[in-house]
Amino acid sequence: MSRFTQQEETTIVKNAMELTATIMVEEIELRNIKSEKFRDLPNPPKRTILRKPEKIYPQYPPKPTTTYSYTEYLKETIGIFKNLRVIGIAAIIIFLSGIIIPGLFFVTFLLMALFPILFIFLIIKYHSYSIKRQALNQQLSESQEYLQAVENAEKLAEKQQKEAEAEFQQQQKKLDAEYEEEKNQYENVTVPKYNEDFNTWTVIQERKIAFLEEELKCNKEALNSLYDATKIISKTYREFTTLKWLYEDMSTSDHDIRYATEILDRDRQRVVTAEAGKRTQTAIYDMKQAMMNGFNAVYNAIEYGNDLQEDSIEILSKTRRDINIGNIIGTVQRHNTNKMLDSLIQKK
């Protein structure tokens, strides 16, 4: 026979369910807070180094070449070649005549014998012509006009090189000035501000974690005190899903804890626990949404420094724990008082 009424047992199961859900939510929140990372330090600025201008080479004018031809050379060196065209025509006529007129065959034969000698002679003369032509080209390349054109091309290239290097130096100087400004901003503003924000964030995170850990500790103590003081819920039925099903069954009927657990243990246990399991995530989510307002209020107080230090967090948690334990003790005391009154009335 239980020491408590059905209503008192229902209240005890409800308290156990709510404390269990609270602990689950706080454990989730604690994991989330511990997994949070502060933003990364921005990368330092990088100095941009321009590519140096490439070497500008002078665009020299093409070297002048003589128009002195091989024919002109032959005319100048050998008088017989002055009328080279006439000689060539005459040789062709004599050659053809020797073929047509039998009496001139010897002349034709003689001309044919002279052709190889003439060919070798012309090759030798061409070599001399090439030497003279090279000399003439050399003279032209050393002429005042050509040398002046070369000098002008070199001066233009030198001018363009200086302009390109001056533009490069100007742009590099501008980029270096911007880099120094960004570097100074980074070292004297960005990094100190980041370190300050990181230190502040670290302190806030530590206080949030301390708050949640103290809350967890107090609620676990309260839950253990509830189980130890009442001793109506065995370890077999202390999971949130089971507690939720028991509370819903007992709060909507006159079933006491014993009968509710008997129903749970019957053949349909698997079905009812599965149905309760489907609602567990929703219940935890609803509980978390309800508790987040309280978390956020504490977080805001921590972040803005509204008199919520570690000692006040501990006091807040102890107060909450004491209220939970007080409710439990009050339930037991009220039950004992009711039993004493019933006993007195029966004696009278």
Side-chain angles (χ1 to χ4, degrees):
M1 192 77 180
S2 174
R3 297 183 295 159
F4 304 101
T5 65
Q6 192 273 346
Q7 185 177 0
E8 289 171 342
E9 288 181 345
T10 302
T11 301
I12 292 170
V13 173
K14 179 183 178 183
N15 288 338
M17 178 191 68
E18 290 178 347
L19 279 171
T20 301
T22 300
I23 290 170
M24 293 172 68
V25 171
E26 288 175 343
E27 287 176 339
I28 294 172
E29 182 66 12
L30 181 60
R31 285 196 299 271
N32 291 339
I33 293 294
K34 286 184 175 181
S35 66
E36 290 179 356
K37 303 294 182 183
F38 193 63
R39 67 179 186 274
D40 293 333
L41 176 67
N43 294 325
K46 291 184 178 180
R47 179 175 177 241
T48 301
I49 300 178
L50 296 176
R51 184 179 180 181
K52 291 184 178 181
E54 297 180 354
K55 176 69 176 178
I56 299 177
Y57 295 96
Q59 299 295 319
Y60 293 116
K63 287 186 177 183
T65 58
T66 183
T67 58
Y68 185 62
S69 66
Y70 183 49
T71 303
E72 291 174 337
Y73 172 73
L74 291 176
K75 288 178 181 180
E76 289 179 359
T77 56
I78 305 175
I80 194 173
F81 286 102
K82 289 183 178 180
N83 295 317
L84 189 62
R85 182 179 298 177
V86 175
I87 293 172
I89 294 172
I92 294 172
I93 292 172
I94 293 170
F95 178 77
L96 293 175
S97 299
I99 297 174
I100 298 172
I101 302 173
L104 296 177
F105 178 78
F106 177 77
V107 176
T108 302
F109 177 81
L110 180 62
L111 288 175
M112 292 178 64
L114 290 175
F115 277 149
I117 299 173
L118 180 62
F119 180 74
I120 294 172
F121 174 77
L122 291 176
I123 290 176
I124 295 172
K125 294 301 291 183
Y126 188 83
H127 176 70
S128 300
Y129 162 75
S130 299
I131 294 174
K132 185 173 182 178
R133 182 178 174 84
Q134 290 176 2
L136 291 174
N137 287 337
Q138 183 65 28
Q139 290 177 4
L140 289 174
S141 66
E142 294 174 354
S143 66
Q144 186 64 32
E145 293 81 2
Y146 180 73
L147 292 178
Q148 185 63 49
V150 170
E151 182 180 355
N152 291 339
E154 291 176 344
K155 288 181 177 179
L156 178 61
E158 182 180 0
K159 178 184 177 182
Q160 292 174 339
Q161 187 74 49
K162 290 181 178 179
E163 290 175 349
E165 291 178 354
E167 178 68 18
F168 164 77
Q169 294 293 340
Q170 183 179 0
Q171 292 183 4
Q172 187 64 60
K173 185 177 180 181
K174 179 181 178 182
L175 290 173
D176 288 345
E178 293 175 353
Y179 167 74
E180 288 299 326
E181 183 178 353
E182 293 173 355
K183 180 182 177 184
N184 181 67
Q185 175 74 13
Y186 180 81
E187 293 177 348
N188 298 318
V189 178
T190 304
V191 173
K193 181 66 168 59
Y194 175 86
N195 291 333
E196 180 183 352
D197 292 345
F198 176 72
N199 292 333
T200 301
W201 179 86
T202 301
V203 171
I204 291 173
Q205 290 298 102
E206 289 175 351
R207 291 178 178 177
K208 289 180 180 179
I209 291 171
F211 161 74
L212 289 170
E213 288 178 341
E214 185 64 23
E215 280 290 291
L216 268 171
K217 176 184 175 183
C218 294
N219 284 322
K220 287 180 179 180
E221 289 177 355
L223 183 60
N224 290 331
S225 297
L226 174 65
Y227 288 139
D228 293 340
T230 60
K231 295 186 182 300
I232 67 167
I233 305 175
S234 69
K235 290 184 179 181
T236 308
Y237 305 103
R238 292 180 183 179
E239 290 185 359
F240 174 76
T241 303
T242 304
L243 290 170
K244 180 174 176 57
W245 188 91
L246 289 174
Y247 172 69
E248 290 178 350
D249 179 76
M250 294 172 66
S251 62
T252 56
S253 67
D254 60 354
H255 300 166
D256 58 9
I257 186 68
R258 180 184 295 274
Y259 189 70
T261 54
E262 286 179 358
I263 295 175
L264 186 63
D265 290 337
R266 289 178 186 172
D267 294 338
R268 60 182 183 144
Q269 173 188 6
R270 189 174 301 174
V271 177
V272 296
T273 53
E275 292 175 353
K278 294 177 183 178
R279 298 192 297 271
T280 298
Q281 293 299 327
T282 302
I284 294 298
Y285 176 80
D286 293 340
M287 175 69 74
K288 183 177 180 180
Q289 293 300 107
M291 293 180 65
M292 282 308 300
N293 292 332
F295 287 148
N296 290 332
V298 174
Y299 295 162
N300 289 334
I302 292 174
E303 291 178 7
Y304 294 103
N306 295 338
D307 300 327
L308 191 60
Q309 306 300 325
E310 282 81 357
D311 54 346
S312 60
I313 294 174
E314 185 178 357
I315 293 172
L316 174 62
S317 299
K318 285 184 177 180
T319 303
R320 188 172 298 180
R321 179 195 63 189
D322 293 341
I323 291 174
N324 289 331
I325 295 175
N327 289 336
I328 298 166
I329 295 175
T331 300
V332 177
Q333 288 177 342
R334 284 193 300 273
H335 171 75
N336 293 335
T337 302
N338 291 335
K339 285 188 67 175
M340 290 176 61
L341 290 174
D342 292 341
S343 178
L344 290 173
I345 291 172
Q346 290 176 2
K347 288 182 179 179
K348 290 181 178 180

